[in-house]
């Protein structure tokens, strides 16, 4: 395996040169992700190295362990080992409970380094993003409260346009500074995020002693290398375009499914909500709709997983990103089409505000209750069943039944998995999806309901602690994943910013031109100019605010210079020795 060294290069780890490799923030040599993969390699690496079957006995049954077969995989197939999973470290878990999950006084402050050491990079990056997002949310929340509670007299007509401009600039600057925060965290954790060869590509390069010591002349070697490069180029081009064709085909299937199946359902719900007069019936209709749409969307997510299995993505990360884009398309239609219907078709802003309140308060509160209470209820029910079974075996209905070990108790806890399956994503998929849908809702309809930012800020402050509590108490310890950024979700957030500029411009037109008489009036022209200026600012800020701090960039350049200096010396010696063999 490769680890970062003190000169910034990732080199193959050797125990003899252990001092050359950087350590973790807590002083340990290996990260939790590395240790987890070591454990799996060790326990799954126990194989039958003999030439014949080995007979194993379990409860008077004989199990044949074949040559070259992994012992643990054999025991799993026989049902003797039910599941292999990491367990919580009690001392560190309790420490995180006190300093993080139950520490409500610090609001958005979190021990991110400790979270990284205990859960790994992906979960630590998520909580760092959630904490920064919540802190920055306080500005538009206060601005929304001011715009709703204070009467500005003759300047009241300018309040919503100014609010719209401010929250757009806020969102653009926030994500640019998040990139800086992300790169700073990775540098602090000594994690390299440079682009390398993807595991899905077979580079086909063979560098061996036999090849270098061959009696072929330099001209013959050069001709063979040129021929190999040409073949590799053709192979990569063929795989690239075939993979692109499969992705376009699958994206078309998802888009057509949304248009033909989900769009009519969403429009029917929005129309019924518009024509129904009773608030009680509207509330019941919304509850039924949310229940049905959750199941429909999960089915769509599982179909997306099957489609991705037939794509030629070069790595697991590419497959996971493709899944995120497809499933978010389903949720985007489910979450926003009804709001577009009320805002742009009927121009009914009272109904639009009611729907936003229901989605932001009722939907998110119910979602938080569900995602935190369901695992606990599921865990409690499993414990009850096990205790009931043990009482029956013991023949006693009284007394406290203890578990044989902590492992048995941890086994009963639910896994931290995504609602669409755990093959490509873990439970962070649902957490990021919830954040993205919330961000789209408050941004795209900001002019219709500025108070939405205050509701979102309160929800996110609670979300930090409840998500931490869920991971530490209610779930098995998650399997660490090595993602170093928020991945495809960053592109989705950027897409939602662009959408919000367009939708809020349309909302302003609907608000100020309620009779629909504007053509090229000064008000409409001003809104159109403002929209184009904001789009220009959106794509221009990235040119003025660097994606990484100056100290991170300087550190990276210094390491790259040192690595290049060492490599160039070794390469020159290799070339010189090679030429001497031919003369």
């Amino acid at each position: 395996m490769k680890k970062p060294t003190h000169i910034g290069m990732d080199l193959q780890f050797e125990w003899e040169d252990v001092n050359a490799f950087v350590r973790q923030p807590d002083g340990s040599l290996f990260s939790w992700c590395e240790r987890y993969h070591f454990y799996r390699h060790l326990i799954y690496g126990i194989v039958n190295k003999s030439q014949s079957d080995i007979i194993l006995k379990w409860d008077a049954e004989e199990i044949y362990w074949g040559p070259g077969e992994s012992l643990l995989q054999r025991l799993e197939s026989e049902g003797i080992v039910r599941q292999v999973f990491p367990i919580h470290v009690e001392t560190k878990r309790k420490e995180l409970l006190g300093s993080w999950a139950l520490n409500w006084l610090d609001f958005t402050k979190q021990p991110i380094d400790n979270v990284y050491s205990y859960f790994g990079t992906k979960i630590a990056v998520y909580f760092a993003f959630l904490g920064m997002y919540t802190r920055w949310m306080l500005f538009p929340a206060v601005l929304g409260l001011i715009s709703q509670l204070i009467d500005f007299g003759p300047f009241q007509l300018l309040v919503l346009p100014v609010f719209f401009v401010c929250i757009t600039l806020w969102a653009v600057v926030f994500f640019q500074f998040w990139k800086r925060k992300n790169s700073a965290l990775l540098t602090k954790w000594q994690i390299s995020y440079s682009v390398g060869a993807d595991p899905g590509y077979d580079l086909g390069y063979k560098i061996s002693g036999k090849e270098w010591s061959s009696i072929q002349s330099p001209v013959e070697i050069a001709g063979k290398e040129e021929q190999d490069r040409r073949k590799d180029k053709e192979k990569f081009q063929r795989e690239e375009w075939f993979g692109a064709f499969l992705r376009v085909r699958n994206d078309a299937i998802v888009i057509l499914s949304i248009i033909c199946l989900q769009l009519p359902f969403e429009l029917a719900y929005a129309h019924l909500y518009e024509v129904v007069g009773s608030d009680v019936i509207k509330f019941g209709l919304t509850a039924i709709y949310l229940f049905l749409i959750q199941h429909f969307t999960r089915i769509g997510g599982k179909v997306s997983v099957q489609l991705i299995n037939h794509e030629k993505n070069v790595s697991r990360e590419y497959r996971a990103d493709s899944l995120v884009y497809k499933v978010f398309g389903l949720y985007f239609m489910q979450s926003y089409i009804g709001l577009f219907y009320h805002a742009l078709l009927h121009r009914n802003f009272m109904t639009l505000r009611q729907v936003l309140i229901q989605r932001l308060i009722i939907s998110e509160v119910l979602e938080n209750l569900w995602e935190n209470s369901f695992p606990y209820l599921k865990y409690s029910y499993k414990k009850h069943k096990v205790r009931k079974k043990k009482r029956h075996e013991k023949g006693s209905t009284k007394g406290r039944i203890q578990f044989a070990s902590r492992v048995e108790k941890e086994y009963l806890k639910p896994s931290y998995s995504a609602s669409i399956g755990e093959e490509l994503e873990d439970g962070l998929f649902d957490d990021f999806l919830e954040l993205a849908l919330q961000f789209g809702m408050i941004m795209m309809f900001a002019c219709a309901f500025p108070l939405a930012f205050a509701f979102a800020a309160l929800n996110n402050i609670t979300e930090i602690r409840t998500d931490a509590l869920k991971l530490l108490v209610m779930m098995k310890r998650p399997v660490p994943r090595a993602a170093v950024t928020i991945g495809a979700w960053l592109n989705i957030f950027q897409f939602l910013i662009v959408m919000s500029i367009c939708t809020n411009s349309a909302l302003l037109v609907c608000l100020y031109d309620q009779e629909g008489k504007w053509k090229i009036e000064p008000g409409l022209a001003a809104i159109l100019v403002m929209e184009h200026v904001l789009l220009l600012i959106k794509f221009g800020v990235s040119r003025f605010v660097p994606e990484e701090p100056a100290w991170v960039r300087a550190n990276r350049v210094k390491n790259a210079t040192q690595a290049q200096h060492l490599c160039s010396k070794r390469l020159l010696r290799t070339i010189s020795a090679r030429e001497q063999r031919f003369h």
Side-chain angles (χ1 to χ4, degrees):
M1 71 160 237
K2 290 186 176 182
K3 281 185 64 63
T5 60
H6 289 289
I7 62 170
M9 290 183 66
D10 288 353
L11 298 178
Q12 185 170 337
F13 181 77
E14 298 288 347
W15 274 112
E16 293 79 8
D17 303 311
V18 66
N19 292 328
F21 298 91
V22 297
R23 293 182 174 269
Q24 301 300 309
D26 61 355
S28 59
L29 182 60
F30 299 107
S31 67
W32 161 232
C33 186
E34 290 169 338
R35 294 199 304 273
Y36 172 79
H37 289 294
F38 291 161
Y39 298 147
R40 284 189 63 87
H41 176 75
L42 288 172
I43 60 179
Y44 280 97
I46 303 172
V47 297
N48 180 6
K49 296 183 178 180
S50 66
Q51 302 298 320
S52 59
D53 291 346
I54 295 179
I55 300 176
L56 307 174
K57 292 187 178 180
W58 173 263
D59 284 346
E61 294 184 7
E62 291 186 348
I63 300 169
Y64 291 90
W65 182 21
E69 185 180 16
S70 169
L71 175 61
L72 190 55
Q73 288 180 346
R74 183 59 178 167
L75 295 177
E76 285 179 323
S77 65
E78 294 290 335
I80 297 173
V81 174
R82 295 186 181 180
Q83 189 179 13
V84 177
F85 59 92
I87 63 171
H88 284 285
V89 180
E90 282 301 300
T91 54
K92 293 184 177 180
R93 188 182 73 88
K94 290 178 180 179
E95 180 183 341
L96 282 173
L97 273 173
S99 63
W100 181 35
L102 300 178
N103 187 13
W104 290 85
L105 297 178
D106 285 339
F107 292 101
T108 62
K109 186 178 179 182
Q110 304 173 85
I112 293 298
D113 290 341
N114 294 338
V115 175
Y116 161 71
S117 299
Y118 190 73
F119 287 114
T121 312
K122 188 174 182 179
I123 290 179
V125 168
Y126 163 74
F127 279 101
F129 175 81
L130 178 58
M132 183 175 175
Y133 173 61
T134 306
R135 281 194 300 276
W136 281 59
M137 182 72 72
L138 297 177
F139 168 72
V142 172
L143 202 62
L145 287 170
I146 292 173
S147 66
Q148 292 292 294
L149 300 178
I150 298 178
D151 185 7
F152 291 90
F155 300 102
Q156 190 66 33
L157 288 175
L158 298 176
V159 170
L160 287 181
V162 170
F163 178 74
F164 166 42
V165 171
C166 289
I167 61 108
T168 302
L169 295 176
W170 163 83
V172 171
V173 174
F174 163 71
F175 281 101
Q176 203 61 24
F177 274 86
W178 160 249
K179 294 176 186 177
R180 293 168 60 86
K181 171 82 171 178
N182 197 176
S183 63
L185 285 174
L186 297 180
T187 303
K188 182 180 180 181
W189 297 334
Q190 301 291 342
I191 296 175
S192 173
Y193 54 99
S194 58
V195 178
D198 287 306
Y201 282 130
D202 180 13
L203 298 179
Y205 296 144
K206 296 181 180 178
I207 303 174
S208 62
K210 181 178 178 181
E211 187 172 322
W212 287 110
S213 61
S214 172
I215 8 175
Q216 291 176 309
S217 67
V219 176
E220 290 175 339
I221 292 176
K224 186 175 182 301
E225 289 177 350
E226 179 64 29
Q227 186 179 3
D228 289 342
R229 278 195 295 268
R230 194 181 302 113
K231 288 181 180 179
D232 287 339
K233 179 182 177 181
E234 293 174 356
K235 176 185 175 184
F236 289 148
Q237 287 179 335
R238 186 167 56 250
E239 290 183 353
E240 178 186 10
W241 288 108
F242 183 62
F245 168 76
L246 291 178
R247 286 191 293 273
V248 170
R249 182 203 65 180
N250 292 343
D251 291 343
I253 292 174
V254 173
I255 292 171
L256 288 175
S257 300
I258 291 173
I259 294 174
C260 298
L261 299 177
Q262 194 173 8
L263 181 59
F265 177 78
E266 298 290 343
L267 290 176
Y269 161 73
H271 179 70
L272 285 174
Y273 195 94
E274 187 73 32
V275 298
V276 168
S278 172
D279 290 337
V280 176
I281 298 177
K282 285 182 177 181
F283 183 84
L285 184 65
T286 302
I288 295 172
Y289 161 77
L290 291 174
F291 176 78
L292 292 175
I293 203 63
Q294 287 294 328
H295 289 279
F296 290 160
T297 313
R298 287 183 181 180
I299 292 172
K302 294 183 185 299
V303 172
S304 298
V305 171
Q306 296 302 317
L307 289 173
I308 287 169
N309 289 334
H310 294 86
E311 290 182 0
K312 291 183 70 65
N313 291 299
V314 297
S315 67
R316 183 188 182 92
E317 287 72 22
Y318 277 83
R319 295 175 67 203
D321 287 349
S322 181
L323 175 64
V324 168
Y325 291 132
K326 288 178 175 61
V327 176
F328 180 77
L330 299 173
Y331 276 91
F332 182 87
M333 180 64 67
Q334 171 237 314
S335 301
Y336 305 129
I337 190 63
L339 300 174
F340 290 140
Y341 180 86
H342 297 303
L344 304 180
L345 186 61
H346 287 278
R347 298 191 178 189
N348 190 336
F349 287 90
M350 185 59 67
T351 302
L352 176 60
R353 290 188 182 100
Q354 289 178 356
V355 175
L356 284 170
I357 291 172
Q358 288 180 357
R359 295 290 180 88
L360 284 170
I361 300 178
I362 300 174
S363 179
E364 290 201 355
V365 168
L366 291 177
E367 185 71 26
N368 284 332
L369 287 174
W370 175 259
E371 72 178 20
N372 290 288
S373 61
F374 179 72
Y376 176 76
L377 293 174
K378 188 176 180 181
Y379 173 50
S380 300
Y381 177 69
K382 284 184 176 181
K383 283 199 302 183
H384 173 72
K385 283 182 64 177
V386 170
R387 284 177 173 147
K388 185 177 180 181
K389 181 180 178 181
K390 288 188 175 184
R391 283 194 182 97
H392 179 73
E393 292 173 352
K394 191 178 178 181
S396 173
T397 58
K398 296 181 179 180
R400 184 177 179 84
I401 300 296
Q402 298 290 340
F403 288 97
S405 66
R406 189 163 58 87
V407 176
E408 183 183 4
K409 191 175 180 180
E410 292 272 340
Y411 169 71
L412 299 177
K413 294 181 178 180
S415 300
Y416 187 56
S417 58
S419 58
I420 56 174
E422 56 186 351
E423 181 181 357
L424 294 175
E425 283 287 345
D426 55 15
L428 286 181
F429 174 86
D430 297 295
D431 292 329
F432 266 121
L433 178 64
E434 182 182 347
L435 279 182
L437 293 176
Q438 178 203 84
F439 180 79
M441 202 170 297
I442 62 177
M443 285 295 297
M444 287 196 292
F445 304 96
C447 290
F449 191 45
L451 283 176
F453 288 90
F455 288 118
L458 291 174
N459 177 78
N460 291 348
I461 291 173
T462 307
E463 187 81 17
I464 293 173
R465 307 304 166 187
T466 54
D467 282 353
L469 199 63
K470 176 177 65 178
L471 286 172
L472 291 169
V473 177
M474 303 176 193
M475 301 281 188
K476 292 187 181 76
R477 189 178 183 183
V479 172
R481 296 180 184 254
V484 295
T485 67
I486 63 174
W489 294 107
L490 181 60
N491 294 331
I492 288 174
F493 281 114
Q494 301 282 13
F495 162 76
L496 290 173
I497 293 175
V498 176
M499 284 291 297
S500 70
I501 294 175
C502 301
T503 55
N504 281 290
S505 298
L507 286 174
L508 288 176
V509 172
C510 295
L511 281 169
Y512 292 122
D513 182 30
Q514 296 182 2
E515 298 179 0
K517 294 180 179 180
W518 278 7
K519 293 183 180 177
I520 306 294
E521 296 291 333
L524 178 58
I527 291 172
L528 291 175
V529 169
M530 181 174 61
E531 177 193 27
H532 285 70
V533 169
L534 288 174
L535 287 171
L536 182 63
I537 292 174
K538 160 70 182 73
F539 296 105
V541 165
S542 60
R543 304 296 301 174
F544 296 101
V545 182
E547 293 187 2
E548 57 183 8
W551 68 270
V552 173
R553 185 165 58 253
N555 186 64
R556 180 169 51 80
V557 171
K558 176 185 174 182
N559 290 337
T561 304
Q562 291 177 344
Q564 185 179 10
H565 179 67
L566 292 175
C567 289
S568 60
K569 282 187 174 181
R570 178 167 294 184
L571 184 60
L572 285 172
R573 285 196 295 266
T574 303
I575 295 173
S576 178
R578 176 187 175 188
E579 290 300 321
Q580 288 176 2
R581 291 194 181 105
F582 290 110
H583 295 290

